[in-house]
Amino acid sequence: MIDTITYLKTFLRDKNVASITPTSSVGVKRVCRKIDFDSSSLIIEYGPGTGVFTNYLLNNMKPDAKLILIELNKNFSSILKKTIRDPRVVIVNDSAANVLEALRNCRESQADYILSGIPFFWLRNGLRDKILCNTYNALKIGGKFLVYQTCFQTDQHLKVHLDRLFPSVSCKFELMNVPPMRIYEATK
Ligand SMILES: C[S@@+](CC[C@H](N)C(=O)[O-])C[C@H]1O[C@@H](n2cnc3c(N)ncnc32)[C@H](O)[C@@H]1O
């Protein structure tokens, strides 16, 4: 409930938030079941908001794995800095477009998984393409880009852009979330 009020207030000031409520715990589990936590040493999350995915990831990640959070909204970034106190986490207040710079600053080269809740349908084509291209380069061979988008985002066409870069892309409609969402799984 507190999270929903925070989302609503933040959404009214920043359209990039694109949601008035965090993803449900069922939705979080449906996306994260695609992750092999035992073999992951680096995960990146774009648009963590107040951290619903972050907490699930931290509960399942290995003790020596690392998680980089890239959040554009200043309010959400400062909430994350206050609430997430885990030595495995680095919080970056920036755009996902700058993921390669974030990796360099963390002295890392490529990630096993990148999760994204950012609203691709809001983005200018140039920004969308930059994020997708840099995401591809930020992943290891065999690494996965997992994207979740609410069903209100009529961006079936995101698959077309993922298909241009990734050798394997699947898209699934997930009804067990409020609201229902699409989950894309793109493998490098
Ligand atoms: C739909 S909310 C998802 C929040 C949360 N992950 C969840 O599942 O409830 C989208 C989030 O993406 C962030 N965002 C939007 N554009 C971004 C960008 N270019 N780079 C990083 N974060 C971005 C927003 O500030 C917001 O936190």
Side-chain angles (χ1 to χ4, degrees), residues 35-104:
I35 300 176
D36 177 3
F37 285 100
D38 292 336
S39 66
S40 302
S41 55
L42 177 63
I43 299 177
I44 300 176
E45 188 186 352
Y46 296 163
T50 53
V52 274
F53 277 88
T54 310
N55 287 315
Y56 186 91
L57 293 171
L58 289 171
N59 287 337
N60 289 281
M61 278 166 47
K62 292 187 295 183
D64 60 345
K66 198 174 210 174
L67 176 62
I68 301 176
L69 306 177
I70 306 183
E71 173 53 62
L72 186 61
N73 183 275
K74 272 206 169 70
N75 184 39
F76 282 155
S77 293
S78 59
I79 290 173
L80 291 166
K81 282 179 186 156
K82 279 183 207 137
T83 55
I84 310 276
R85 294 188 183 273
D86 188 303
R88 294 171 294 174
V89 176
V90 177
I91 300 167
V92 180
N93 178 209
D94 199 352
S95 168
N98 299 323
V99 59
L100 296 175
E101 193 186 328
L103 275 171
R104 271 196 303 277

Side-chain angles (χ1 to χ4, degrees), residues 23-34 53 56 181:
T23 302
S24 68
S25 59
V26 178
V28 170
K29 282 189 196 136
R30 290 293 156 109
V31 176
C32 292
R33 70 182 177 186
K34 297 180 181 296
F53 277 88
Y56 186 91
M181 62 186 184

Side-chain angles (χ1 to χ4, degrees), residues 157-168:
H157 65 278
L158 178 59
K159 185 167 182 309
V160 174
H161 304 292
L162 290 168
D163 277 337
R164 273 200 215 121
L165 288 162
F166 290 86
S168 159

Side-chain angles (χ1 to χ4, degrees), residues 99-169:
V99 59
L100 296 175
E101 193 186 328
L103 275 171
R104 271 196 303 277
N105 291 340
C106 295
R107 294 170 194 275
E108 296 286 350
S109 55
Q110 287 179 315
D112 299 286
Y113 292 91
I114 299 181
L115 271 75
S116 174
I118 66 179
F120 277 98
F121 80 113
W122 273 135
L123 306 184
R124 285 177 288 106
N125 292 352
L127 179 58
R128 177 201 62 214
D129 292 346
K130 185 175 177 191
I131 292 175
L132 294 182
C133 181
N134 288 346
T135 297
Y136 180 85
N137 289 323
L139 279 167
K140 291 176 186 166
I141 300 284
K144 287 180 193 284
F145 184 37
L146 303 174
V147 185
Y148 53 96
Q149 308 271 268
T150 62
C151 62
F152 303 125
Q153 303 182 28
T154 53
D155 57 345
Q156 273 282 29
H157 65 278
L158 178 59
K159 185 167 182 309
V160 174
H161 304 292
L162 290 168
D163 277 337
R164 273 200 215 121
L165 288 162
F166 290 86
S168 159
V169 181

